[in-house]
Amino acid sequence: MKKSMKLMLLGAALLGSLAMAGCGSSPAPAKSGNGAGQQSKLMQTIKQRGKLIVGTSSGYPPYVFVDAESPDKKVIGLDMEMCKQIADKLGVKLEVQDMSFSALLSSVTSGKVDIAVGGVSPTPEREKAMAFSDIYLPTEQKLLVRKENQHAFKSMADLKGKVIGAEKSTTQEATAQKIEGATAIGLSSVPDAILQLKNGKLDGIVLEGVVTKQYLIFNDDLALADVQFDGAKKVSAVALQKGNDDVVKIINDIIRQDTESGQFDKWVDEYSRIAVEKASK
């Protein structure tokens, strides 16, 4: 009887082990050929479309500006070079849509564009609505003024009662709004703000340090004031809809590569020179 019981237990154990072995050797569920089951919605959309749609707001050299000499008024700049690399990494073509900065970020959340670039800075408020890549090209916020006032504005107190402009919906506008006693005005574009400054309708413009260089070269009646904005460091990032970590990873890989190789600095020099050359013709 005991022997019979042992045989029964042994048989049960053998069947159990065979069943487990059968489960272990069963092939895993098949994945789709393009890995779509593992991809985010944005990645799938880009791949199926065969095109990366980039939104930007030109007039912001050396990041993005229009090549007026090209037949189709092509947007060029260091951010466009980065986007070409991203599109190549994704294996798709690149399409650029130029718009006002105030419309740019809403175009990301609404899905009108896949990503947004052009000196876009992540802020706590923006991060509530969209995702951002790693940052690149940290720089300072500067105050651009008419040369006659270059040394008149030395501190924030000197800006009390003044009218300070900036491109609408930007971190520069947010900086202008924090100047105590000053009136902040949001303009549709940097060139528009420059014109208002030169015409005396503005006392100054808050502008990214890298961007001021090109405008100073061709406007000898303008200069940088001595004012320093505390805590107004400016960084750039790529904006996109949340929940697309696979796309973010590819973008971050490109940013890390271009930062470590010094490519961003090379592009700053290259497109600063190109912007100057084209503006002088």
Side-chain angles (χ1 to χ4, degrees):
M1 181 70 178
K2 291 181 178 179
K3 184 177 180 181
S4 176
M5 181 64 71
K6 287 181 179 178
L7 288 173
M8 289 174 64
L9 291 172
L10 181 62
L14 181 59
L15 286 171
S17 64
L18 287 172
M20 291 295 291
C23 290
S25 61
S26 295
K31 295 180 180 179
S32 59
N34 61 5
Q38 302 299 313
Q39 294 178 344
S40 67
K41 182 179 179 181
L42 179 59
M43 180 70 83
Q44 292 181 55
T45 299
I46 294 170
K47 292 283 190 178
Q48 291 169 4
R49 186 199 299 133
K51 183 167 55 179
L52 174 68
I53 301 177
V54 176
T56 194
S57 180
S58 61
Y60 209 64
Y63 293 94
V64 284
F65 57 101
V66 174
D67 180 1
E69 296 178 347
S70 63
D72 55 353
K73 299 297 184 288
K74 183 179 179 181
V75 178
I76 60 176
L78 69 90
D79 273 343
M80 291 298 100
E81 292 291 350
M82 178 181 65
C83 288
K84 289 176 188 176
Q85 292 181 335
I86 295 170
D88 287 345
K89 188 76 173 180
L90 291 167
V92 297
K93 296 179 181 179
L94 179 67
E95 177 183 309
V96 180
Q97 294 187 9
D98 192 10
M99 62 192 73
S100 69
F101 195 88
S102 58
L104 181 58
L105 298 184
S106 62
S107 294
V108 173
T109 55
S110 66
K112 182 180 178 181
V113 300
D114 300 323
I115 63 175
V117 298
V120 179
S121 183
T123 65
E125 189 63 29
R126 290 173 182 173
E127 287 174 337
K128 293 176 183 178
M130 63 195 76
F132 285 91
S133 70
D134 290 341
I135 61 173
Y136 58 97
L137 281 179
T139 185
E140 299 277 350
Q141 304 280 34
K142 300 290 186 181
L143 184 67
L144 190 65
V145 299
R146 292 185 296 280
K147 184 170 278 188
E148 63 200 60
N149 295 324
Q150 181 178 9
H151 302 297
F153 305 138
K154 297 181 179 180
S155 68
M156 301 293 280
D158 295 328
L159 300 179
K160 187 174 182 179
K162 304 301 179 183
V163 181
I164 307 299
E167 188 174 16
K168 191 177 295 182
S169 301
T170 63
T171 52
Q172 288 78 40
E173 183 183 32
T175 298
Q177 291 170 344
K178 293 176 183 177
I179 302 173
E180 188 174 351
T183 300
I185 301 292
L187 286 306
S188 62
S189 67
V190 174
D192 184 23
I194 295 290
L195 182 61
Q196 299 280 3
L197 176 62
K198 290 168 72 73
N199 289 339
K201 295 182 179 180
L202 297 174
D203 295 301
I205 302 171
V206 180
L207 196 58
E208 188 173 341
V210 173
V211 179
T212 61
K213 296 178 181 178
Q214 288 72 39
Y215 288 104
L216 286 171
I217 289 173
F218 290 99
N219 295 277
D220 56 9
D221 55 341
L222 301 181
L224 292 179
D226 299 327
V227 173
Q228 299 293 319
F229 296 107
D230 294 334
K233 293 280 186 181
K234 167 68 168 57
V235 294
S236 296
V238 179
L240 64 163
Q241 286 185 332
K242 289 185 175 184
N244 299 290
D245 293 346
D246 49 357
V247 181
V248 173
K249 183 182 183 304
I250 286 177
I251 296 171
N252 286 345
D253 287 345
I254 297 295
I255 289 174
R256 182 172 59 254
Q257 166 192 305
D258 291 336
T259 300
E260 292 175 353
S261 67
Q263 185 61 64
F264 278 124
D265 295 325
K266 293 176 183 176
W267 281 334
V268 167
D269 292 339
E270 177 185 356
Y271 280 99
S272 293
R273 176 182 54 78
I274 291 174
V276 169
E277 289 176 351
K278 290 187 177 296
S280 62
K281 292 181 180 180

